Amino acid sequence: MFLGSRSRLRTAVIAAAVGAGVLTAATPAAAAGTRAYLVITAPNDTAGAKTAIASNAGTVFSSYDAIGVVVAHSTATDFASKMRTVAGVQKVGATRTSDVPAEAANPAVPAPATQTPQSMTESVQADMAQIGADKAWAVNQGSANVTVGILDTGVDDLHEDLKANFDASKSASCAYGKLDTRAGAWRDIDQHGTHVAGTVAAAKNNKGVVGVAPGVKIAAVRVAEQPGKSFFFAENTICAFVFAGDHGFAVTNNSYYTDPWLFACPDNADQDAILEGVKRAVAYAEGKGVLNVAAAGNENYNLANKTRDTTSPNDSTPVQRNITNSCLSLPTEMPGIVTVSAITSANRKSSYSNFGTGKISVAAPGDAVWSTIPGGKFASFQGTSMASPHVTGVAALLKSTHPTATPAQLRQLLATQADDLSCTDTRCSGTTAANNFFGEGRVDAFAAVDTGTPPAGKTFENTADVNIPDNAPAVTSDITVSGVTGNAPATLKVGVDIVHTYRGDLVVDLIAPDGSVYSLSNGAGGSADNIQETFTVNASSEVANGVWKLRVRDKAAQDTGYINSWKLTF
């Protein structure tokens, strides 16, 4: 189940600590229809298991041979028990307590969302300013060579704030546990994945919102199945991580837990197989160079002191069960995962956010996050689902700045560059430098790209003289900019050399390629002569390449002059 907006948070109240006995909910013995199973063998040694599956009233639905995981379907109630006796089979477990939907045999491709153009222009959202993303954009908006995988409910690839950064060639669906690369299979069946994608990498195009890393590429891997329910079963999760590893993703965002168990426990044979399968898939992705980021969860639960689960299994009838710390939230508590807690605008733990000593890596804003939703629209969600993509975006900036960094090195950089946050209530333990609420602290996007040396600017200049008529309509001088990637900086330097008596007569503007007007001087300077000055303009909403104009108008009589030269430094 995904970890999204407050309205979708789980309603169960975590009970107080109970005795040491562990009550595990068993998978129902009788299957009413087709059930899905993980059959686990040694890596690259699945042939014998596949033969045995067919011999025991099952079918191979999909297979991930490199990690030794086969997804099998069967209607036989004794399928798992028989398969556990097969030589070479290490673990077998049902992935759900409900029947596999009929749609699994022939999944529909989600229809594209009808797009509603928005007139809303960009502004710096509070969450982005909180982590210094607005400052980072002026230095490095991220590299197009970095691909971030959004493992979620899908992504609206036609959204005007996402389509420029969307990579369809690396997008697919893993719903039902089988890879589906048909065009559009990756589309959002909810709103959650599109919202997450916008926080990571919405384009800096003067429309809507800006993501933490607006220069990187995003790819969608739909993990959720069944619109309206959005289940993320283990076979779907495994498929998605293997796909991420095979397709060169730099970072993945995982704002969900693997259904139907809030925590999978190793003393249950079914859940033990789920634990092993997901663990192998996560490790496979990291082994291919992928840094995996995940939401901590929205139960206000101490992950380092597990006692009870009242919400699982969530695909049938939940059973109250006592649990221990050996039970894990997947993929959140897998080795190598960067686990993210949510904070408020006041840098306090969000009321819903999970926590735990040794469980939280870093923290990020999770409340009232404004981002993209399908159909060209925007909405405010909250949850650790919204915190996680902030961290994913910062990780993408780090990968852009350090292209050869390994996942382990990126984890260290995230920790080193995070801003320390002190404890905010009595449940918080640890130090300001590292505690169970915020881990290493709040991520810092600016620190991720700040190398300590201002980037060398590319300069374009026009030295042709342009006469400025006395008390007459404006004249312009053009500069054509090319070869600059992305948008102009927030610190665009406009060097102006105008020779003119009584500079107070002059109105001087910079005109961007799309016609936007930036005032440089409007009657300033009074009776002094000449304007020989460098102005700084926040032109970060403008595409850099194109024709820029310096517009000058003399608004009063008697004084004359000319544009001697002007230049732009990016």
Side-chain angles (χ1 to χ4, degrees):
M1 182 65 71
F2 63 77
L3 306 172
S5 61
R6 190 67 180 272
S7 64
R8 297 298 298 272
L9 297 181
R10 306 206 182 276
T11 58
V13 176
I14 305 302
V18 295
V22 178
L23 306 175
T24 57
T27 302
T34 300
R35 293 289 167 90
Y37 300 85
L38 298 182
V39 178
I40 297 178
T41 71
N44 297 307
D45 188 23
T46 59
K50 291 176 181 177
T51 299
I53 288 168
S55 301
N56 286 282
T59 58
V60 174
F61 185 69
S62 59
S63 183
Y64 305 94
D65 294 349
I67 59 172
V69 176
V70 180
V71 179
H73 287 178
S74 180
T75 59
T77 58
D78 58 354
F79 176 79
S81 61
K82 287 184 175 181
M83 285 299 301
R84 288 175 186 135
T85 67
V86 173
V89 171
Q90 299 173 355
K91 299 176 189 288
V92 179
T95 64
R96 54 186 87 196
T97 65
S98 56
D99 294 342
V100 176
E103 189 194 34
N106 186 26
V109 173
T114 301
Q115 302 297 309
T116 303
Q118 300 292 315
S119 59
M120 182 180 67
T121 56
E122 291 171 351
S123 61
V124 177
Q125 303 298 321
D127 56 314
M128 295 297 166
Q130 191 175 356
I131 64 169
D134 54 333
K135 296 178 182 177
W137 299 330
V139 179
N140 187 342
Q141 296 178 15
S143 169
N145 294 323
V146 172
T147 300
V148 175
I150 310 299
L151 279 53
D152 212 291
T153 62
V155 172
D156 178 7
D157 54 303
L158 303 179
H159 196 294
E160 62 180 350
D161 235 3
L162 299 176
K163 61 184 180 182
N165 290 340
F166 191 84
D167 189 342
S169 70
K170 295 183 178 180
S171 297
S173 172
C174 277
Y176 311 104
K178 180 182 287 186
L179 185 62
D180 182 352
T181 58
R182 292 176 295 170
W186 57 74
R187 292 195 186 112
D188 206 337
I189 61 170
D190 188 82
Q191 297 181 331
H192 192 266
T194 300
H195 195 278
V196 165
T199 299
V200 174
K204 203 164 194 327
N205 56 6
N206 202 32
K207 298 176 182 179
V209 298
V210 188
V212 176
V216 305
K217 293 295 184 182
I218 49 177
V221 185
R222 180 162 70 90
V223 185
E225 60 186 57
Q226 291 185 282
K229 295 181 181 179
S230 298
F231 282 119
F232 294 69
F233 291 110
E235 59 267 43
N236 311 2
T237 304
I238 291 165
C239 170
F241 280 113
V242 171
F243 183 85
D246 288 342
H247 286 77
F249 293 178
V251 191
T252 68
N253 187 85
N254 302 270
S255 291
Y256 61 92
Y257 72 73
T258 301
D259 297 299
W261 307 100
L262 177 60
F263 302 108
C265 299
D267 62 349
N268 176 286
D270 292 325
Q271 295 167 48
D272 189 39
I274 291 172
L275 280 164
E276 182 64 22
V278 174
K279 179 180 178 180
R280 290 188 187 187
V282 171
Y284 178 84
E286 174 152 345
K288 294 283 189 175
V290 184
L291 178 71
N292 299 300
V293 180
N298 299 332
E299 293 76 32
N300 190 26
Y301 200 110
N302 186 348
L303 297 175
N305 184 28
K306 299 186 183 81
T307 56
R308 185 172 294 184
D309 172 22
T310 63
T311 68
S312 306
N314 64 3
D315 66 334
S316 55
T317 303
V319 178
Q320 180 173 293
R321 58 182 184 147
N322 296 341
I323 62 173
T324 69
N325 286 342
S326 65
C327 303
L328 301 178
S329 176
L330 304 178
T332 298
E333 294 186 87
M334 287 286 94
I337 293 283
V338 175
T339 303
V340 183
S341 65
I343 58 174
T344 69
S345 60
N347 294 317
R348 301 179 66 88
K349 185 184 86 68
S350 297
S351 60
Y352 49 80
S353 181
N354 289 350
F355 59 101
T357 301
K359 298 295 184 179
I360 303 302
S361 305
V362 287
D367 291 4
V369 175
W370 184 256
S371 188
T372 49
I373 60 172
K377 302 175 183 178
F378 303 86
S380 178
F381 291 173
Q382 67 181 27
T384 56
S385 279
M386 284 61 253
S388 181
H390 287 88
V391 176
T392 298
V394 172
L397 290 177
L398 283 168
K399 185 66 173 179
S400 299
T401 307
H402 307 277
T404 62
T406 66
Q409 290 169 332
L410 291 175
R411 279 194 295 272
Q412 184 59 47
L413 286 168
L414 279 171
T416 301
Q417 298 179 358
D419 300 322
D420 293 341
L421 295 179
S422 57
C423 284
T424 54
D425 70 39
T426 57
R427 294 174 301 162
C428 183
S429 62
T431 66
T432 298
N435 56 61
N436 66 341
F437 271 18
F438 314 117
E440 296 288 341
R442 182 192 61 219
V443 289
D444 191 326
F446 178 63
V449 299
D450 181 20
T451 61
T453 303
K458 182 174 285 189
T459 298
F460 300 82
E461 187 172 13
N462 186 338
T463 60
D465 292 352
V466 177
N467 287 325
I468 304 170
D470 189 32
N471 193 22
V475 296
T476 60
S477 176
D478 297 353
I479 288 177
T480 299
V481 173
S482 62
V484 178
T485 302
N487 285 19
T491 54
L492 178 65
K493 304 299 182 183
V494 186
V496 175
D497 181 0
I498 296 176
V499 178
H500 195 282
T501 54
Y502 207 98
R503 60 178 285 172
D505 286 359
L506 300 179
V507 178
V508 183
D509 300 309
L510 175 69
I511 312 297
D514 68 353
S516 298
V517 178
Y518 297 87
S519 176
L520 303 179
S521 180
N522 188 351
S527 60
D529 292 341
N530 308 327
I531 300 179
Q532 293 166 326
E533 188 174 344
T534 297
F535 301 89
T536 300
V537 173
N538 182 355
S540 57
S541 63
E542 308 293 342
V543 174
N545 293 334
V547 178
W548 296 75
K549 298 177 183 291
L550 185 72
R551 184 175 67 187
V552 183
R553 178 171 67 88
D554 186 337
K555 63 180 180 180
Q558 298 183 348
D559 291 279
T560 59
Y562 60 94
I563 302 172
N564 184 42
S565 67
W566 72 288
K567 62 184 178 181
L568 294 171
T569 302
F570 288 80

